[in-house]
Amino acid sequence: QVQLAESGGGLVQAGGSLRLTCVESGRTFSNYIMAWFRQAPGKEREFVVVRSGNDGRTIYADSVKGRFTVSRDSSKNTVYLEMTNLKPEDTAVYYCALRQSSTISITTGLYEYWGQGTQVTVSS
């Protein structure tokens, strides 16, 4: 059973940076897609970035392009989300998610595995 665990959230001032971490365990399949989503109060969950585990192809949401960077340390089964120049509108619970597939998707319903989320709050 795949398990995902996020950490690294917190309170930061606008313009600041945070690095989120997602540690995965229990994955037995090689074709997978890893993604970060976020959900702000009263809003639907939205994709932030999605990365193919097969070829590393990455797609960022327009709202974070140029500010957020995703990376992976395979030796640690860990995915990082580096967030810079944070804005108050980035405030949300951030989730990492994993899909057993080779097809990139930004649709939340297609991801079978989710972490518990980590809160990011950006003050103005």
Side-chain angles (χ1 to χ4, degrees):
Q1 179 73 4
V2 173
Q3 292 188 322
L4 304 172
E6 307 96 333
S7 61
L11 173 64
V12 64
Q13 289 187 330
S17 301
L18 280 175
R19 186 176 78 162
L20 305 184
T21 298
C22 176
V23 180
E24 63 153 290
S25 61
R27 179 173 53 86
T28 58
F29 44 87
S30 58
N31 293 326
Y32 69 97
I33 306 295
M34 180 72 80
W36 287 92
F37 290 83
R38 68 186 181 185
Q39 188 166 19
K43 294 188 176 181
E44 292 190 352
R45 196 168 296 187
E46 63 176 7
F47 109 97
V48 175
V49 57
V50 58
R51 182 182 184 278
S52 168
N54 294 61
D55 58 17
R57 188 163 70 98
T58 304
I59 300 174
Y60 292 91
D62 288 343
S63 58
V64 307
K65 202 173 294 184
R67 300 187 298 121
F68 290 12
T69 304
V70 68
S71 61
R72 176 176 175 82
D73 184 339
S74 296
S75 67
K76 297 180 180 179
N77 288 334
T78 299
V79 174
Y80 303 99
L81 182 64
E82 298 275 359
M83 307 186 296
T84 63
N85 191 21
L86 283 161
K87 305 176 181 181
E89 52 264 42
D90 294 318
T91 294
V93 177
Y94 284 70
Y95 300 88
C96 65
L98 188 146
R99 178 184 186 212
Q100 183 178 356
S101 174
S102 58
T103 303
I104 281 185
S105 173
I106 63 171
T107 303
T108 57
L110 294 180
Y111 285 78
E112 300 99 326
Y113 307 102
W114 292 83
Q116 81 286 353
T118 185
Q119 175 71 48
V120 171
T121 303
V122 184
S123 63
S124 57

